[in-house]
Amino acid sequence: MQGQGLPGFRDFYPDDLALRNHIFATWRRVAARYGFEEYDGPPLEPLDLYTQKSGEEIIGQLYEFTDKGDRRVALRPEMTPTLARMVGARAQALKKPIRWFSIPQLFRYERQQRGRLREHFQLNMDLIGEAGPLADAELMAAALDIMRAFGLGPDTVRMRISDRRVLRALLLGHGVTEDQLPAAYAAIDKSERDPRDVIAQRLAKGGFTDRARDGVFQVAGLKGLNAVNGALAEVAATDAGGPLGEAVGALEAMGLRDFVEVDLTIVRGLAYYTGIVFELFDAAKSLRAICGGGRYDGLLKALGGVDLPALGFGMGDVVLTELLRERKAAFDPPSRLDAFLVAVSGEDVAAVLRLAHDLRDRDVGVEYGLRHAALRKQLELAAARGAPRAIIIGPEEREAGVVVVRDLNGGTEERVPVASLLNGYFR
């Protein structure tokens, strides 16, 4: 159909864009509170920046092509490779730890479904150069404080936390081999979605012993820090739980413990995660993850040539927008207008034009009818535009050097000298 947008891409009408801008402003405000600096990179990158990290199979998910310089390029599907390239270029000069955030538009050619489109905007927050678990807690706290800034509490959103080091220790302790760990992680990751017997069959085909298969299901069923610590004690691997316990304790000290669940089914599918991983969901689990991330020590060395510990998360705008609309989270789009100017008669139009221009010079947002109409019609348009007040100018007002300011919400009126209107009335 002529004029129809591409599937998976969005048009943002003014109301939609107002909500998007509200989301962006909240992201930026909380990130600044945590001392993060904003950066950005190009939306088009060399294709091998992504195949180096994810393998040739990722090409099927990308918008990729050969440019006029005969270079293989792709629209960015994620921000971490760009971040690694940028940090690697200036690693020696950058003060550690590096606290950076970005709000890129990302593109992936994949099947559309609820909460997933072919383009979206995403908040990326990354903390580079700090290996201790307080850094993990800091990043998780930032994600939770973003939820709180939107008016969402622990009854609405929950953060589920795990640790790859804990998973590895427990699985090895139950007879899973090193080579079988990726398959075990995948099984745990899908344990809430796929039937147990289906998962068991996959593991059996992968050469898992009965003991190892049972161990995978036991690990997937662990909930809560005490249960995890008890399971680690049984396999003589209590040290593996230290960072997770310290991070959860830090979140508790911040007053955020009510949001947190220790849940070992959170694996994060990407192989480069090395420590604590987490995902943020709506409490009813009716939507996809609001955000996800974790520690990826080693990735910067692989992509950017600099060996620095690092962790980060991504929070997309698609699921978050759905959540805010479902929960009717408080959001009043800021009015672009401070006033609507009304001319009583055709002879008053010139005075309205002059006053409108003088007010705009003072950064006051005003509008007026572009065609003179009856007073009632002009006031109806003022209300439709969402103006909080109407400034009415008629022959008597022009003669006296005043205007009538009508409160369009309360219905009250007052006569205000034009000089006062231009000098501090709207502050």
Side-chain angles (χ1 to χ4, degrees), residues 101-408:
F101 82 95
S102 186
I103 306 177
Q105 188 175 20
L106 305 176
F107 306 87
R108 278 187 183 263
Y109 192 85
E110 56 188 359
R111 185 172 63 86
Q112 300 174 70
Q113 50 188 291
R114 186 184 182 193
R116 175 177 286 177
L117 300 174
R118 290 177 175 172
E119 60 78 23
H120 71 283
F121 292 89
Q122 179 170 291
L123 169 67
N124 279 67
M125 293 184 70
D126 293 88
L127 207 162
I128 300 167
E130 178 53 62
L134 286 183
D136 300 83
E138 178 85 339
L139 206 64
M140 290 187 284
L144 289 173
D145 277 349
I146 289 169
M147 296 297 101
R148 294 175 63 237
F150 286 121
L152 305 175
D155 57 329
T156 304
V157 292
R158 308 289 293 175
M159 178 167 281
R160 301 164 69 189
I161 305 174
S162 182
D163 192 321
R164 284 289 188 96
R165 293 161 295 198
V166 169
L167 283 170
R168 181 178 183 277
L170 289 172
L171 290 169
L172 293 177
H174 283 284
V176 176
T177 68
E178 286 278 0
D179 291 342
Q180 291 172 334
L181 283 175
Y185 291 154
I188 292 171
D189 185 48
K190 296 177 180 178
S191 62
E192 292 187 334
R193 300 186 297 275
D194 293 351
R196 179 175 174 131
D197 60 336
V198 172
I199 295 173
Q201 289 175 11
R202 288 186 199 139
L203 295 175
K205 290 179 180 178
F208 283 67
T209 65
D210 290 346
R211 174 172 172 255
R213 287 202 304 274
D214 290 343
V216 169
F217 290 116
Q218 287 179 34
V219 171
L222 291 172
K223 299 288 190 291
L225 191 59
N226 289 338
V228 169
N229 286 335
L232 287 169
E234 290 178 6
V235 296
T238 53
D239 289 349
L244 178 63
E246 190 172 339
V248 171
L251 290 170
E252 184 171 8
M254 297 177 199
L256 297 171
R257 186 64 177 87
D258 288 346
F259 287 92
V260 174
E261 299 174 359
V262 173
D263 182 346
L264 296 192
T265 62
I266 301 303
V267 176
R268 304 290 294 158
L270 300 173
Y272 58 72
Y273 285 113
T274 58
I276 290 174
V277 289
F278 59 91
E279 293 182 353
L280 193 60
F281 289 89
D282 65 299
K285 297 182 184 178
S286 62
L287 301 171
R288 300 177 65 86
I290 304 163
C291 90
R295 180 167 287 281
Y296 52 87
D297 297 343
L299 185 64
L300 290 184
K301 183 177 182 181
L303 295 180
V306 55
D307 191 7
L308 287 171
L311 60 153
F313 72 77
M315 181 182 293
D317 72 315
V318 178
V319 175
L320 180 57
T321 296
E322 284 197 40
L323 179 64
L324 294 176
R325 284 178 171 157
E326 277 191 3
R327 300 301 187 275
K328 296 180 172 58
F331 168 60
D332 295 319
S335 174
R336 62 188 178 88
L337 293 178
D338 296 298
F340 192 100
L341 275 56
V342 175
V344 175
S345 71
E347 295 178 349
D348 304 312
V349 171
V352 163
L353 294 175
R354 179 65 194 182
L355 180 59
H357 199 264
D358 288 344
L359 288 171
R360 286 166 174 169
D361 276 350
R362 291 161 174 78
D363 289 327
V364 178
V366 299
E367 187 181 338
Y368 51 82
L370 298 178
R371 181 181 302 171
H372 185 257
L375 180 63
R376 176 178 61 82
K377 290 288 188 182
Q378 293 182 72
L379 291 173
E380 287 175 356
L381 182 57
R385 288 289 192 264
R389 59 182 70 83
I391 296 175
I392 303 169
I393 302 177
E396 293 182 6
E397 286 75 31
R398 283 192 290 114
E399 181 71 23
V402 300
V403 297
V404 174
V405 179
R406 178 178 297 181
D407 184 332
L408 294 177

Side-chain angles (χ1 to χ4, degrees), residues 13 59 256:
Y13 289 88
I59 294 177
L256 297 171

Side-chain angles (χ1 to χ4, degrees), residues 3-58:
Q4 188 172 7
L6 289 170
F9 289 75
R10 296 170 290 175
D11 296 314
F12 288 90
Y13 289 88
D15 287 349
D16 301 318
L17 191 59
L19 178 55
R20 193 185 86 183
N21 288 341
H22 171 58
I23 290 172
F24 286 9
T26 304
W27 282 347
R28 287 189 168 100
R29 188 170 66 250
V30 176
R33 253 189 240 162
Y34 276 74
F36 281 70
E37 299 177 284
E38 188 167 7
Y39 75 100
D40 200 0
L44 196 67
E45 290 273 22
L47 177 62
D48 61 10
L49 187 67
Y50 305 113
T51 56
Q52 180 183 359
K53 170 176 172 284
S54 303
E56 294 291 325
E57 60 272 15
I58 196 176

